Amino acid sequence: MSEQPLPRCQQCGHLLGRRDKKCALCGTLIEQEPQTSVVPAQWLLVGVGAGLALLAVSFSALRDRSKPTASVDTHETIATQDSRNATVETRGGSPQPESRAEVASNSSAPALRVETGDREKAVQAFASGQSNLRNGHYDVAIQEFTKALRLNPSYGEAFTNRGFVYLFKADYDRAIEDFAAAIQIQPNTDLFANRALAHFNKAEYDRAIQDYTEAIRLSSADPELFNYRGASYSGMSDYDRAIQDYNQAIRLNPNYPTALNNRGWAYAQKGDRERALADYVRALKLKPEPPLRQHLEAALKSLDLAVRGTRHPGRTGR
């Protein structure tokens, strides 16, 4: 019987633990009704010698993991996916990075220096792990990847895939260990981004920033990485640096509604309501998917009222 995927917060979309009573990001009380869907096929990407799975995670997370108390109503950003990537968002607070867990192709072979029999068994165990992962059998997938690693301790793709399962199950410490092992074998941008996400979800923002910085060093033209590092800076309430990273993300991709949304939120936290309003309007004009669009509309409405109230503090209106 397949294991049910972890539930997500109905307010902000954050991935929840099975026993969580409230969302760690927005503080919303959670009804213990896990979702029944399995890992979407569109999360599977092609990476360095392997496919990469990109997990969408809730995008805003306050440093104290609680609801914000800003004077301007904050908003939620929602994960929007296409066949290549996912967008991370948050409910009023620091924007959050996303994961790029690697799912190697069935043709990927383990490292050399194993006996032919063990090599074949490792490949078979790895393929079985992939199949179970895609079908939602997460514990069985972990067992199969672990078996592949026993047969071939240098099987980087097995470490990466097992790390992805741990990440999906919110077992962040084990995910970090597996991504670190994979990085030792063959470092790449996505592995650093995966480990950064695990650190972020543990509120280890400084470590997340270090890993996103390394990922950016390897892929400096990727706007998502700047967006996610900006989210980590927002987690530390360092809004100036967050805005710098959002600026770069938007320079690289002017039609990036999530980065615009996040920059708008950072401006709002700094009390710069005019710029926040401009970013929300610009993001909304890009016609993002319904979840993000709805939150932008709500944030825009509340912020617009606040801005007009600031301009006319003594005006009651009709």
Side-chain angles (χ1 to χ4, degrees), residues 220-287:
S220 60
D222 189 336
E224 293 176 353
L225 296 175
F226 286 99
N227 182 47
Y228 306 147
R229 190 175 68 176
S232 302
Y233 279 124
S234 285
M236 300 176 69
S237 297
D238 190 343
Y239 301 119
D240 289 332
R241 288 188 179 180
I243 288 170
Q244 289 176 7
D245 274 348
Y246 297 141
N247 288 344
Q248 182 62 15
I250 293 165
R251 276 194 291 269
L252 291 168
N253 180 6
N255 298 320
Y256 195 171
T258 302
L260 287 164
N261 172 69
N262 297 337
R263 189 175 68 177
W265 187 90
Y267 278 134
Q269 303 315 297
K270 286 170 59 66
D272 192 340
R273 293 171 173 174
E274 293 283 358
R275 288 184 177 178
L277 191 63
D279 275 347
Y280 291 152
V281 169
R282 182 176 167 186
L284 201 55
K285 287 181 178 178
L286 294 173
K287 299 180 179 180

Side-chain angles (χ1 to χ4, degrees), residues 106-143:
N106 290 329
S107 61
S108 297
L112 301 177
R113 295 181 5 189
V114 293
E115 297 298 327
T116 301
D118 286 347
R119 176 188 175 90
E120 293 175 352
K121 291 177 182 178
V123 172
Q124 291 171 1
F126 178 78
S128 175
Q130 284 186 301
S131 176
N132 281 286
L133 169 59
R134 293 189 176 103
N135 288 311
H137 301 235
Y138 305 120
D139 288 336
V140 178
I142 289 172
Q143 293 173 7

Side-chain angles (χ1 to χ4, degrees), residues 43 70 91 94 109 136 139 159 162 183 224 230 235 239 253 269:
W43 285 358
R91 174 183 179 84
S94 61
D139 288 336
F159 276 118
R162 192 175 68 177
I183 286 170
E224 293 176 353
Y239 301 119
N253 180 6
Q269 303 315 297

Side-chain angles (χ1 to χ4, degrees), residues 9-258:
C9 175
Q10 295 300 310
Q11 290 297 319
C12 68
H14 177 61
L15 194 65
L16 305 168
R18 296 192 183 282
R19 293 187 293 275
D20 286 353
K21 295 182 179 180
K22 67 177 183 178
C23 179
L25 297 186
C26 68
T28 301
L29 295 178
I30 304 301
E31 295 183 7
Q32 300 300 312
E33 297 181 0
Q35 298 178 356
T36 58
S37 60
V38 298
V39 179
Q42 59 265 41
W43 285 358
L44 303 180
L45 310 175
V46 175
V48 180
L52 300 177
L54 192 57
L55 172 66
V57 183
S58 81
F59 176 52
S60 78
L62 287 175
R63 180 175 55 186
D64 61 357
R65 301 295 211 181
S66 63
K67 285 187 176 181
T69 56
S71 58
V72 178
D73 289 343
T74 54
H75 58 285
E76 303 171 10
T77 28
I78 305 304
T80 59
Q81 296 170 200
D82 58 26
S83 61
R84 187 182 177 284
N85 56 47
T87 330
V88 201
E89 297 124 48
T90 113
R91 174 183 179 84
S94 61
Q96 178 174 345
E98 72 183 11
S99 82
R100 302 182 175 200
E102 183 173 320
V103 178
S105 65
N106 290 329
S107 61
S108 297
L112 301 177
R113 295 181 5 189
V114 293
E115 297 298 327
T116 301
D118 286 347
R119 176 188 175 90
E120 293 175 352
K121 291 177 182 178
V123 172
Q124 291 171 1
F126 178 78
S128 175
Q130 284 186 301
S131 176
N132 281 286
L133 169 59
R134 293 189 176 103
N135 288 311
H137 301 235
Y138 305 120
D139 288 336
V140 178
I142 289 172
Q143 293 173 7
E144 291 299 304
F145 292 135
T146 301
K147 180 180 178 181
L149 287 165
R150 281 199 302 267
L151 294 164
N152 177 14
S154 298
Y155 205 158
E157 292 90 346
F159 276 118
T160 304
N161 279 268
R162 192 175 68 177
F164 174 70
V165 181
Y166 283 135
L167 190 62
F168 192 79
K169 288 169 65 70
D171 191 342
Y172 302 124
D173 288 328
R174 288 182 177 176
I176 288 169
E177 290 177 0
D178 275 354
F179 293 138
I183 286 170
Q184 289 298 313
I185 296 169
Q186 186 176 8
N188 62 53
T189 299
D190 298 296
L191 288 173
F192 283 109
N194 289 336
R195 191 171 67 177
L197 175 61
H199 282 306
F200 185 98
N201 284 337
K202 293 186 65 183
E204 295 174 346
Y205 302 120
D206 54 343
R207 294 185 177 183
I209 288 168
Q210 291 175 6
D211 275 344
Y212 277 113
T213 298
E214 184 62 22
I216 287 170
R217 186 186 68 80
L218 296 172
S219 300
S220 60
D222 189 336
E224 293 176 353
L225 296 175
F226 286 99
N227 182 47
Y228 306 147
R229 190 175 68 176
S232 302
Y233 279 124
S234 285
M236 300 176 69
S237 297
D238 190 343
Y239 301 119
D240 289 332
R241 288 188 179 180
I243 288 170
Q244 289 176 7
D245 274 348
Y246 297 141
N247 288 344
Q248 182 62 15
I250 293 165
R251 276 194 291 269
L252 291 168
N253 180 6
N255 298 320
Y256 195 171
T258 302

